[in-house]
């Protein structure tokens, strides 16, 4: 993982069809070009994860998305104490 993350962090541009590659590129400030792995309508498609990430990043920054997620997690944990 260290080598993989280092390669992403040191890249001038990451070209990927991977959700995780795209997410880490954004986290590390590396420019990224996302390719589609599956054709639209393919029942095995996992493009929706990458599509959702791109839609979210049009409206929010990674720190804003992280904070919203952490707030949701805190709320869920406080409303549902462990048994």
């Amino acid at each position: 993982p260290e080598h993989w993350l280092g390669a992403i962090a040191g890249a001038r541009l990451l070209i990927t069809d991977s959700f995780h590659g795209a997410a880490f590129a954004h986290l590390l400030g590396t420019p990224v070009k996302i390719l589609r792995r599956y054709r639209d309508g393919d029942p095995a498609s996992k493009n929706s994860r990458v599509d959702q990430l791109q839609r979210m990043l049009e409206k929010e920054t990674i720190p804003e998305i992280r904070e919203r997620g952490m707030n949701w997690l805190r709320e869920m944990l406080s409303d549902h104490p462990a048994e």
Side-chain angles (χ1 to χ4, degrees):
E2 183 178 338
H3 178 74
W4 185 75
L5 291 173
I8 292 173
R12 284 188 264 163
L13 172 68
L14 177 69
I15 300 173
T16 185
D17 65 354
S18 160
F19 169 83
H20 291 96
F24 278 107
H26 282 286
L27 284 168
L28 297 168
T30 301
V32 61
K33 168 72 176 152
I34 302 170
L35 305 176
R36 297 182 72 73
R37 184 181 300 183
Y38 301 91
R39 284 179 284 175
D40 290 338
D42 184 337
S45 176
K46 294 180 179 68
N47 289 338
S48 63
R49 297 188 315 163
V50 173
D51 293 343
Q52 181 181 11
L53 177 65
Q54 288 182 300
R55 282 193 303 273
M56 290 171 69
L57 290 169
E58 289 174 2
K59 299 173 186 176
E60 300 176 280
T61 65
I62 291 285
E64 290 168 336
I65 294 168
R66 181 185 299 126
E67 184 61 28
R68 187 165 43 86
M70 291 301 292
N71 288 339
W72 178 86
L73 183 58
R74 283 186 204 99
E75 184 178 325
M76 291 299 108
L77 291 172
S78 67
D79 286 349
H80 300 25
E83 295 181 32

